[in-house]
Amino acid sequence: MSSVTPDQPRRPAADTRPPGRPRAGARVPAPRAGEPPRSRAPLPVAAGVAALWAALTGWLPVAVVLALAQLTEDAGSLPGALGAGLAGWLLGHGVPLGTAAGPLGLSPLALTGLVLWRLTRAGVHASRAVGARGGRSPRAALTVAAAVGVAYGLLGAVAALLVGLAGPQVSPVRAGLTTLAFGVPAALLGAVRTTGVSVLLAERLPPPVVDGVRTGVVAALLLLGAGAGAAGLAVATGGGDAADMIGAYRTGVAGQAGITLVSLAYAPNAAVWSLSYLLGPGFAVGVDTAVRTSEVSLGALPAVPLLAGLPRGPVGGPGAVLLAIPVLVAMAAGWLLARRLLRAAPERRAVPGWPALLVPAALAGPVAGLLLGAVAAAARGPLGGGRLAEVGPVPWQVAAVATVVVAAGALLGCAAGKVLARPAPSR
């Protein structure tokens, strides 16, 4: 007799199916042919949302700073501060603004760096949204970057139209093309990393090319760090003059804080100028002016705290040691290259020869030169008409000198790293 009474429900029989095998009667509906999965967003929507978020996060800090400064001092209105924030956002992309004093085209590189970072993240988010993550598809990465760039360019054109209604004169066509030129490469960088195309490129490119590009980027970053250190030291030395300039504005605490924030936004520009000074080409602070290690020719300067650290004359005496900084930095990059390749030799079971070390060191020069030339071009622009129509270094001169200095220094550092390296212990 069964021990189960009618009041007790029968327990289902134990499932004897192998793990992972669905039931015979269970059917999972298959997606229709040509229908994308529900988790993927359409490319226009993903690109538009990512570009809009990148634009908002780049514009909002500028608008907040200007709004606080103007509202605290009763010198403006909230709509005016928001419009000024749009103008500053466009200036961060290198879009020139037409003002009563002349064209304003010197971009604050701190804002430019923020814009590039947000656009890179836009490429990452759009790639994930359309389901291209890890697919290693160059076509998908290019498509996402182009879509984000087009959406960002449209936003730039709209921003120029809004700014031109009651403010500086801005060309919507130029603003759209400039923001498009910003959006595509930056979004492509994020899309390439997200889709895994960067790994695919690293696997297909020859190892000396990969090592050369890496060493060139490291050398460029080290040189920019050296320029930033020299600029900070110069501004600290002239800190009293900078404080007097800020106090002379008589705008109250909020106004002086705004001037300080603007100076900080242009601090990366000062680092690039300082690097150009260390390399030799120098830079200009107005038409027919020159600031070099061998010559300092300046006229009347605006009362800007960032200019308080300009040198008074040519370098002489102990200051000549500064001229060796770029070569030493390039040698450090070459040393790091040799050290990394020699450390990886036991894993590869082959000690790298001289060509495997010297070829990447030589390639590092052009890579660093192109990067620093592009940065020098971004750090250059007019501050109005007349004398201040030319401010900053000459890009091709910075690129040429940086190429020679980095190539020579990296070769010396790489050779020294190989000669002085300790031989691996024999087993």
Side-chain angles (χ1 to χ4, degrees):
M1 182 179 295
S2 173
S3 60
V4 179
T5 63
D7 297 333
Q8 296 176 337
R10 293 181 178 271
R11 297 180 180 179
D15 193 358
T16 58
R17 292 179 290 106
R21 179 178 297 179
R23 294 182 180 179
R27 293 183 180 180
V28 179
R32 298 178 182 178
E35 181 182 1
R38 295 182 180 179
S39 59
R40 298 183 182 181
L43 179 60
V45 175
V49 171
L52 179 60
W53 181 245
L56 286 176
T57 52
W59 161 78
L60 189 59
V62 184
V64 168
V65 171
L66 295 179
L68 289 177
Q70 292 188 9
L71 292 179
T72 304
E73 299 299 327
D74 295 330
S77 60
L78 181 59
L82 298 180
L86 278 179
W89 178 76
L90 290 174
L91 184 61
H93 295 78
V95 179
L97 308 176
T99 64
L104 177 61
L106 184 62
S107 303
L109 290 188
L111 177 58
T112 304
L114 173 64
V115 166
L116 291 175
W117 174 57
R118 296 311 307 165
L119 283 171
T120 302
R121 297 303 302 170
V124 172
H125 297 322
S127 300
R128 292 174 178 174
V130 300
R133 183 177 184 179
R136 292 195 175 189
S137 172
R139 184 176 182 178
L142 289 172
T143 303
V144 168
V148 172
V150 169
Y152 198 75
L154 293 176
L155 292 174
V158 172
L161 290 174
L162 295 176
V163 170
L165 293 178
Q169 298 298 320
V170 187
S171 171
V173 176
R174 182 163 184 176
L177 293 178
T178 304
T179 50
L180 172 66
F182 260 77
V184 174
L188 181 61
L189 181 60
V192 162
R193 295 186 60 185
T194 305
T195 57
V197 177
S198 58
V199 179
L200 183 64
L201 291 175
E203 293 175 351
R204 294 187 177 182
L205 289 175
V209 175
V210 177
D211 295 331
V213 172
R214 181 179 300 177
T215 305
V217 173
V218 169
L221 292 176
L222 291 177
L223 285 172
L224 288 174
L233 180 61
V235 173
T237 304
D241 296 337
D244 294 340
M245 289 180 184
I246 294 177
Y249 279 93
R250 308 286 184 185
T251 55
V253 176
Q256 293 178 0
I259 296 171
T260 303
L261 290 175
V262 171
S263 299
L264 290 177
Y266 280 99
N269 299 64
V272 178
W273 299 350
S274 177
L275 171 60
S276 178
Y277 177 80
L278 294 176
L279 287 174
F283 57 95
V285 192
V287 180
D288 297 330
T289 62
V291 180
R292 305 189 186 95
T293 55
S294 58
E295 174 192 5
V296 176
S297 174
L298 294 172
L301 297 176
V304 178
L306 200 61
L307 302 179
L310 289 176
R312 306 300 180 185
V315 174
V321 180
L322 297 175
L323 303 179
I325 291 180
V327 179
L328 295 176
V329 168
M331 290 179 64
W335 178 280
L336 293 175
L337 169 65
R339 186 177 180 182
R340 182 172 57 83
L341 293 181
L342 292 174
R343 278 188 173 183
E347 300 177 0
R348 300 176 181 177
R349 298 181 180 180
V351 178
W354 284 105
L357 293 173
L358 298 183
V359 170
L363 289 176
V367 173
L370 289 175
L371 291 177
L372 294 177
V375 173
R380 176 182 175 87
L383 274 177
R387 289 190 60 258
L388 295 179
E390 294 181 7
V391 177
V394 180
W396 71 265
Q397 293 179 359
V398 174
V401 176
T403 298
V404 176
V405 170
V406 171
L411 287 171
L412 291 175
C414 190
K418 180 173 176 59
V419 171
L420 299 178
R422 297 179 181 180
S426 58
R427 296 182 180 178

